[in-house]
Amino acid sequence: MFSARILTLFPDMFPGCLGQSLSGRALEKKLWSLELINIRDFADDAHKTVDDTPFGGGAGMVMKPDVVSRALESCTSNKSRIIFLSPRGKTLTQELVKELASEQELTLLCGRYEGLDQRIIDHYQMEEISIGDYILSGGELGAMVLLDSCVRLLDGVMGNDHTVDEESFENNLLEYPHYTRPAVWIAPDGSEYNVPDILTSGHHANIKQWRLEQSEQLTKNRRPDLWDNYTP
Ligand code: SAH
């Protein structure tokens, strides 16, 4: 089973969206597990201090290495990959998601304030992962994004008829457009929109070809970076 462990100063934020819909049902069905560790429980003073001012001066506070280390030592097993959610990390991609989803166990550390003391990152040789080039106020949303994307790939989480190989980013392509009933949709301003004829033709090979062409067109226009790495 895929087990995730989250170290955070805000355990009440979980399971949050991970407790709903696909990932929530999968959690209930025990297709994956979630353990929460409150870093503050490992503070050793009466005020439960978890952060302090940075050496060298400057704005903000830094999470203390001794406290975070005790939290980690309370739980990590040597088979666990320790991930620090961090804007400096390598960007999460579908390729990395697949790799992470194949692990037995992940330990995710959520930063707050200015982040962690560098020594703890070095000592535990943490893998730093970012969810994109913007700054969040904490790693918790990052941990949720990472886990949500992993959990949907686990066996039994999505229905059998769902195939991930046609989703965006597979084979460096974005997904083709979808349509559903009604076949003719009248927008509030009276405009009439039909479904592309091909999709109601019942001709599976042509539909497949049309979808591929749509995917290629979209990718070429929107994501030249993916398009450059695409091999038909
Ligand atoms: N001072 C840091 C930002 C700290 S934001 C810097 O400039 O790099 C506080 C915490 O939020 C970080 O420690 C990290 O755990 C989390 N965080 C912020 N942005 C993130 C992102 N893009 N991806 C993953 N985690 C992020």
Side-chain angles (χ1 to χ4, degrees), residues 22 25-26 29 31 94 149-164 167:
L22 267 188
R25 282 196 298 274
K29 286 200 255 167
L31 296 174
Q94 190 63 15
S149 56
C150 288
V151 166
R152 62 194 292 286
L153 298 182
L154 301 177
D155 282 346
V157 173
M158 284 192 290
N160 290 337
D161 59 342
H162 186 100
T163 99
V164 293
E167 285 188 322

Side-chain angles (χ1 to χ4, degrees), residues 9 13 35 56 70 90 92 101 147 163 202 209:
L9 287 168
M13 287 187 177
E35 182 192 354
R70 280 194 294 272
K90 67 174 162 219
L92 188 67
L147 288 179
T163 99
Q209 182 58 29

Side-chain angles (χ1 to χ4, degrees), residues 20-38:
Q20 303 288 319
S21 189
L22 267 188
S23 50
R25 282 196 298 274
L27 194 56
E28 271 169 28
K29 286 200 255 167
K30 302 203 181 340
L31 296 174
W32 69 290
S33 71
L34 180 64
E35 182 192 354
L36 290 159
I37 311 269
N38 187 347

Side-chain angles (χ1 to χ4, degrees), residues 81 91-102 150 153 168-170 172:
R81 214 159 147 168
T91 310
L92 188 67
T93 59
Q94 190 63 15
E95 200 184 344
L96 179 54
V97 165
K98 280 193 213 162
E99 185 195 315
L100 296 171
S102 68
C150 288
L153 298 182
S168 295
F169 308 118
E170 292 305 319
N172 288 308

Side-chain angles (χ1 to χ4, degrees), residues 84-87 111 113-115 129-132 134-139:
F84 171 44
L85 278 305
S86 155
Y113 321 118
E114 291 308 319
I129 296 182
S130 162
I131 63 160
Y134 40 81
I135 308 292
L136 302 166
S137 43

Side-chain angles (χ1 to χ4, degrees), residues 172-173 212-213 215-221 223-232:
N172 288 308
L173 283 180
L212 177 64
E213 285 164 14
S215 278
E216 290 179 341
Q217 207 53 49
L218 276 168
T219 311
K220 199 170 163 182
N221 292 340
R223 294 291 301 271
D225 56 321
L226 295 177
W227 185 246
D228 284 346
N229 293 311
Y230 168 64
T231 32

